[in-house]
Amino acid sequence: MSNYYGGITGYGKAVPERVVTNEELASKIDTSDQWITERTGIKQRRVVGDHEQCSQLATDSARKAMERAGVSADEIDLIIVATSSPDFLTPPVSSMVQHNLGAKCGAFTMVVGCTGFVSALITADLYMKTGQYRNIIVVGVEVITRMVDWEDRNTCVLFGDGAASVVVSRKKEPCGVLSHMMGSDGSGAELLILPSGGTKVPPSHESLDSGQNYLKMNGREVFKFATKVMGQSIEKVLEDSGLSKDDIDLYIPHQANARIIEFAIKTADLPADRVYINVHKYGNTSAASIPIALCEAFDEGRVKMGDKMVFVAFGAGLTWAACTLQLPE
Ligand code: UT7
């Protein structure tokens, strides 16, 4: 490995205009603001309109991140888009983003459920350590509400749409990902699945009639899995980095459910005032949740350059990933 590092130098988010509150959902299906708030902490979510697409939200957020980093399209050497809800199964949405940005570089999409952004950031960091890349754009984006059955209260109240990007730039001073871990357990594939639309169950009248084109989730089992891996993953990356819990300025967990985050705070004994939560505003935006939270943490002054952070995510697969990282000075 050469002595290069990848530091986050820009960030930007793009979320749909439309806000859907718990009250609005409760006026349409058998749920209530009280149930959603008590069980998840969610108060509202953003939902795309017909004019908003995955590629466009990703592009808008990337443009903002580039502007903040002071990086032009010809200075980008790679684009990694983490999403499970691209415009099309093929072509990859990452190439659509590359074209929209006017970049002349490689691009690929990573499909790792809600773990996507952390996996993509770890990947970008490893590319950076080769010293061959000047700037890499990492995007987390989802238009997951188009995969949801709006009559299924088990899922539709949980999810929201959005995008956020970071620019990771080549640095000579130590920064970037300090330690990381990734996990996968495909035995839990059925716990969070979109049964139709891939090649195993291609769309058909039959699959549509039986609702196989909608996201299915075993909430209780995913909850159990999430609470198990969150604390363990945080402990592991802290240990590998040699940092203590108090060395970390901000923890950003995947924003799926405030109760899962509170559980992780308890089991891993984290300082609650340094754990970022914004699930009440956006619901679960899957691969976009951690970068959206990062953007808001920057804007609110909860993090600043030079700070040390922990990201931890879990989701479909089942998958999980975590990293410690340091922002460049
Ligand atoms: O990004 C990773 C993906 N997903 C997650 O992280 C989700 C993980 N799981 C969860 O967050 C929670 O399991 C949920 C929020 C999905 C559900 O909370 P829960 O406390 O585990 O509730 P439950 O599934 O055990 O359901 C309790 C009751 C059920 O009624 P009965 O069977 O006790 O009569 C449900 O039918 O709540 C009912 N219920 C609802 N009631 C009102 C389920 N959804 C709703 C709803 N409104 N939206």
Side-chain angles (χ1 to χ4, degrees), residues 29-49:
I29 55 165
D30 182 16
T31 189
S32 64
D33 173 48
Q34 189 186 353
W35 190 95
I36 303 170
T37 305
E38 284 176 8
R39 302 287 178 133
T40 71
I42 299 166
K43 299 297 285 182
Q44 61 177 48
R45 69 285 296 141
R46 300 294 181 112
V47 175
V48 284

Side-chain angles (χ1 to χ4, degrees), residues 30-229:
D30 182 16
T31 189
S32 64
D33 173 48
Q34 189 186 353
W35 190 95
I36 303 170
T37 305
E38 284 176 8
R39 302 287 178 133
T40 71
I42 299 166
K43 299 297 285 182
Q44 61 177 48
R45 69 285 296 141
R46 300 294 181 112
V47 175
V48 284
D50 292 343
H51 61 295
E52 291 165 317
Q53 311 299 339
C54 177
S55 55
Q56 169 251 317
L57 290 172
T59 304
D60 290 352
S61 70
R63 281 209 183 100
K64 288 182 195 167
M66 286 163 61
E67 201 178 307
R68 206 167 247 122
V71 164
S72 62
D74 55 15
E75 293 169 303
I76 301 166
D77 292 330
L78 182 64
I79 297 168
I80 310 176
V81 179
T83 188
S84 295
S85 46
D87 293 25
F88 308 105
L89 267 186
T90 195
V93 70
S94 39
S95 291
M96 301 170 77
V97 174
Q98 165 269 316
H99 175 70
N100 291 347
L101 293 175
K104 297 193 170 32
C105 63
F108 59 86
T109 301
M110 289 179 72
V111 185
V112 203
C114 304
T115 308
F117 178 79
V118 178
S119 306
L121 187 68
I122 292 165
T123 306
D125 188 82
L126 293 170
Y127 275 89
M128 272 298 169
K129 287 190 167 111
T130 67
Q132 292 173 30
Y133 294 78
R134 292 166 300 168
N135 298 288
I136 301 179
I137 296 198
V138 183
V139 190
V141 55
E142 300 288 1
V143 176
I144 208 157
T145 64
R146 291 218 178 109
M147 298 171 159
V148 160
D149 178 355
W150 285 95
E151 290 178 4
D152 174 12
R153 68 179 186 174
N154 290 303
T155 50
C156 77
V157 304
L158 303 173
F159 295 100
D161 302 325
S165 297
V166 294
V167 176
V168 180
S169 303
R170 186 168 59 196
K171 295 281 176 191
K172 282 294 241 175
E173 321 76 53
C175 63
V177 174
L178 306 171
S179 63
H180 74 263
M181 61 88 59
M182 293 193 262
S184 170
D185 177 8
S187 71
E190 303 282 332
L191 298 179
L192 183 43
I193 188 166
L194 185 68
S196 168
T199 53
K200 183 168 178 185
V201 186
S204 63
H205 290 295
E206 206 185 329
S207 68
L208 288 176
D209 289 345
S210 57
Q212 299 301 297
N213 54 315
Y214 293 128
L215 204 63
K216 315 277 178 208
M217 182 172 69
N218 181 331
R220 281 182 209 183
E221 288 304 315
V222 176
F223 193 99
K224 275 193 227 160
F225 148 73
T227 48
K228 191 175 110 202
V229 297

